[in-house]
Amino acid sequence: MMEVFSVGNVEFLLQGLMLTIKIALATCLISIVWGTFLAVVKNYGDKMSRFLASAYIDIFRNTPLLLWMLAACFVLPVFFGQFPQAFWGTVGFSLYTSSVMAEIIRGGLNSIPKGQFEAAYSQGFGPFFTLFYIILPQTFRRVVPSMLSQVITTVKDTAYLAGLGIAELTYKSKTILASLKSFEEILLMIAFVAGIYFIICFSLSMAVRYYAKKTSYVH
């Protein structure tokens, strides 16, 4: 027990956990911004821009996440220079997750009545200000539960980065597991790391349920 939960091991895992949280947070923020842009373009852009946005979303949503992480880590540095693996892993992660966020946000956009646009135009709002001040705020309120669910998935999917040698939580735990000698110690470490992921993801899922319950009363 003491060997598994030594001060060194706990500090080692906490370093990995911090990187996991940073990558997940950065990925979610980038994905919301880029996904919003893709959703708006796919819904309201011209024919060519709608085609490009649709192609991007379809390609990324129908190919493996790990493939894009690998591409980001081993292809993009050739063109854009050397940065830490964690940076490129986050880029690949964000490119993929943006396609999922785009479809979530697009669903919210489609749920807004067209009368909202007509009312805004009648008040002198142009297309940009109508989207920014009237349509998107309503959209985000409607899709918050779905977006938070995707955030939970994003936190769990950071574990894929371990396969690229990025020292997030799963990679750190794998390093410790290699030094453990007994089967019981290995099980204990796996359970401990699973517990960390569970606490984070379950807390987020409870927030999703609370928000959904709260907003159901409003509607």
Side-chain angles (χ1 to χ4, degrees):
M1 177 73 76
M2 293 304 295
E3 183 177 347
V4 175
F5 298 114
S6 65
V7 174
N9 282 353
V10 172
E11 289 180 350
F12 192 65
L13 289 174
L14 287 176
Q15 291 171 0
L17 177 60
M18 289 303 299
L19 183 58
T20 291
I21 292 173
K22 289 178 182 178
I23 291 174
L25 182 60
T27 298
C28 291
L29 291 175
I30 294 169
S31 299
I32 290 171
V33 174
W34 182 229
T36 299
F37 175 79
L38 290 170
V40 169
V41 169
K42 185 173 180 178
N43 264 27
Y44 309 117
D46 58 35
K47 187 175 181 180
M48 178 56 70
S49 59
R50 288 200 307 270
F51 170 78
L52 293 174
S54 297
Y56 179 99
I57 292 169
D58 289 339
I59 289 171
F60 276 89
R61 287 190 71 208
N62 292 285
T63 47
L65 167 59
L66 185 57
L67 175 67
W68 296 109
M69 289 181 174
L70 289 168
C73 288
F74 296 106
V75 177
L76 293 182
V78 176
F79 299 98
F80 299 103
Q82 296 297 321
F83 290 93
Q85 285 286 83
F87 172 83
W88 289 120
T90 303
V91 170
F93 204 176
S94 300
L95 291 174
Y96 175 89
T97 308
S98 295
S99 65
V100 181
M101 285 292 189
E103 285 298 274
I104 292 172
I105 295 166
R106 198 171 73 88
L109 289 171
N110 291 337
S111 71
I112 305 299
K114 292 184 179 180
Q116 296 281 337
F117 288 91
E118 297 168 359
Y121 294 153
S122 70
Q123 296 299 314
F125 284 88
F128 175 80
F129 289 104
T130 297
L131 277 170
F132 191 81
Y133 288 110
I134 298 174
I135 304 303
L136 285 177
Q138 296 181 71
T139 297
F140 284 121
R141 280 196 295 270
R142 296 187 180 203
V143 302
V144 162
S146 298
M147 291 176 68
L148 287 175
S149 295
Q150 181 56 38
V151 169
I152 294 170
T153 300
T154 300
V155 172
K156 292 187 292 184
D157 285 350
T158 55
Y160 284 114
L161 296 167
L164 302 176
I166 296 171
E168 46 71 65
L169 180 59
T170 300
Y171 182 87
K172 294 276 191 178
S173 66
K174 185 175 70 172
T175 302
I176 295 175
L177 285 170
S179 67
L180 298 179
K181 300 176 181 178
S182 71
F183 181 70
E184 291 77 11
E185 289 175 340
I186 292 172
L187 282 180
L188 194 58
M189 177 55 65
I190 291 173
F192 180 66
V193 174
I196 294 174
Y197 280 110
F198 175 81
I199 291 170
I200 295 172
C201 295
F202 184 73
S203 299
L204 289 171
S205 68
M206 291 300 292
V208 173
R209 294 175 195 174
Y210 173 77
Y211 181 86
K213 185 177 180 181
K214 185 177 179 180
T215 53
S216 67
Y217 290 124
V218 175
H219 297 300

